Amino acid sequence: MKIIRGIANLNNQFSQCVLTLGNFDGVHLGHQQLINHLIEQGKKLNLPTVVMLFEPQPLEFFSKQNAPARLTSFKEKVQLIEKLGIDYIIAVPFTQTFANMSAANFIQDWLINQLQAKYIVIGDDFRFGHERKGDITLLQQYTHNNQFAVESMPTFVYNTLRVSSTAVREALFNSDFKLAHCLLGRHYTIQGKVVHGNALARQLGFPTANIHLNRSKPALQGVYLVKVRNCCDDQHYHGIANIGIRPTIQGKKAILEVNLFDFSGDIYGQYLDVTFVRKLRDEKKFDSLTDLQQQIAQDVCTAQQISAKLTN
């Protein structure tokens, strides 16, 4: 799979294509259904498959503070889409200039003239163009000249629940990881690179692997029992993770900190997959570092007891 960063870098990498476009945050079962359908059409027409993404996601651009929590970073999203078998991802920088483009101009200039899309499939609720005026009805107006075929995928439903990024966020907010798994088709996992922190956790006796989240707002907050896979050596561990701003030390930016059970070693610079199993408590501000240390010790004890029950 190739990543094309911006339509200006298309450089005739393909002459025609089949296309879908959207945010694809979480790459849940609904997204997977749409992408798999696109791949089937690509095989029928013998054309490359293209997924167009927007970065940042539109709501993050228009109102960063009020945007919904991000389920997947750009890198995670790309990895999940690549596993499905897509040929190209076009990552479009979402700027004010792009936001001002009319839906009609977007269709004519981008989808027809530059991408030469012969088949387009979108979700039934997808909107595009200035003031979100573009939809399936507008796209259908361009099919009479045989410019392209277009299709809208119906909503994917799980047990009467509409599968959506919003539904996944709500499941995670409620710590319903079983439901999140059913909506995603996999466990909810955050992947990230271990970076150097302030070493406070080590001083407290609970060294952590610190992972920057690379997203405006994480979908989880609190302390969790987690399963961890080291992507470099495929070793697996249990541990506890805190995801949040660390109010006891006046933290400002959310970070993921993971304490691995029965592990000692240097994993700086390595990538970890952190899968959330059960929430232990909310993040809170403690009156002293001693109080925080005592709470972490209790968290570790609780998590190890739960982990033992799950593995027996």
Side-chain angles (χ1 to χ4, degrees):
M1 188 187 75
K2 292 185 178 180
I3 301 175
I4 302 170
R5 296 184 179 273
I7 199 75
N9 294 317
L10 191 58
N11 297 328
N12 299 316
Q13 296 201 42
F14 50 82
S15 57
Q16 297 178 344
C17 70
V18 296
L19 171 74
T20 187
L21 52 160
N23 290 319
F24 298 97
D25 190 24
V27 195
H28 54 62
L29 287 178
H31 296 142
Q32 294 170 41
Q33 174 186 245
L34 189 151
I35 290 173
N36 287 331
H37 185 72
L38 181 73
I39 291 172
E40 290 177 6
Q41 294 300 314
K43 290 177 180 177
K44 289 180 181 179
L45 299 173
N46 195 29
L47 290 175
T49 53
V50 179
V51 172
M52 181 181 288
L53 305 174
F54 308 101
E55 194 67 30
Q57 295 177 167
L59 288 178
E60 293 172 344
F61 174 81
F62 287 115
S63 182
K64 187 174 182 180
Q65 296 301 317
N66 297 319
R70 186 81 175 251
L71 296 172
T72 42
S73 67
F74 175 72
K75 181 177 180 180
E76 290 168 333
K77 192 185 300 187
V78 166
Q79 290 176 338
L80 290 167
I81 292 174
E82 182 176 20
K83 289 179 181 178
L84 295 174
I86 285 294
D87 297 313
Y88 295 90
I89 283 180
I90 299 178
V92 177
F94 199 93
T95 63
Q96 190 61 58
T97 299
F98 182 74
N100 290 338
M101 186 187 304
S102 71
N105 283 345
F106 176 72
I107 294 172
Q108 186 64 55
D109 295 344
W110 285 46
L111 305 188
I112 296 175
N113 295 346
Q114 298 197 62
L115 292 174
Q116 297 186 53
K118 294 304 174 184
Y119 170 85
I120 298 171
V121 59
I122 59 174
D124 56 8
D125 62 346
F126 182 69
R127 301 292 184 272
F128 60 93
H130 185 55
E131 297 181 344
R132 293 170 48 86
K133 291 184 177 180
D135 58 10
I136 185 65
T137 302
L138 181 61
L139 282 168
Q140 287 170 338
Q141 295 177 18
Y142 288 79
T143 62
H144 66 280
N145 291 328
N146 294 320
Q147 298 279 19
F148 52 75
V150 64
E151 190 174 359
S152 173
M153 288 293 290
T155 296
F156 191 92
V157 177
Y158 169 76
N159 279 356
T160 73
L161 176 63
R162 180 182 184 275
V163 177
S164 66
S165 300
T166 299
V168 176
R169 292 186 193 100
E170 290 179 356
L172 294 175
F173 179 80
N174 294 323
S175 303
D176 192 341
F177 297 113
K178 183 178 180 180
L179 176 58
H181 182 282
C182 292
L183 300 177
L184 292 168
R186 63 183 187 279
H187 294 295
Y188 183 68
T189 298
I190 291 178
Q191 184 186 99
K193 184 179 180 179
V194 180
V195 298
H196 288 276
N198 58 14
L200 176 62
R202 184 177 298 277
Q203 296 173 29
L204 295 176
F206 302 95
T208 59
N210 301 303
I211 297 172
H212 288 167
L213 293 170
N214 295 320
R215 63 199 76 194
S216 300
K217 189 187 303 182
L220 294 173
Q221 177 275 325
V223 180
Y224 300 84
L225 167 65
V226 294
K227 293 181 180 179
V228 180
R229 181 180 75 91
N230 187 323
C231 301
C232 299
D233 59 16
D234 201 37
Q235 294 296 307
H236 293 72
Y237 308 91
H238 282 91
I240 60 167
N242 182 84
I243 184 167
I245 62 171
R246 300 166 297 169
T248 303
I249 60 169
Q250 287 78 49
K252 302 297 182 183
K253 187 176 181 180
I255 192 171
L256 172 60
E257 299 177 294
V258 185
N259 173 253
L260 302 176
F261 300 156
D262 304 316
F263 173 82
S264 62
D266 184 354
I267 53 174
Y268 289 119
Q270 298 182 29
Y271 284 86
L272 302 181
D273 279 339
V274 182
T275 298
F276 296 84
V277 178
R278 188 172 300 181
K279 187 170 185 176
L280 303 179
R281 62 176 176 84
D282 288 332
E283 187 179 44
K284 61 175 290 187
K285 183 176 182 179
F286 292 91
D287 293 332
S288 68
L289 291 180
T290 299
D291 290 344
L292 173 60
Q293 184 181 38
Q294 291 174 349
Q295 181 61 62
I296 295 174
Q298 180 59 54
D299 294 337
V300 169
C301 181
T302 301
Q304 288 176 329
Q305 290 175 351
I306 297 172
S307 177
K309 291 180 181 179
L310 293 175
T311 54
N312 290 335

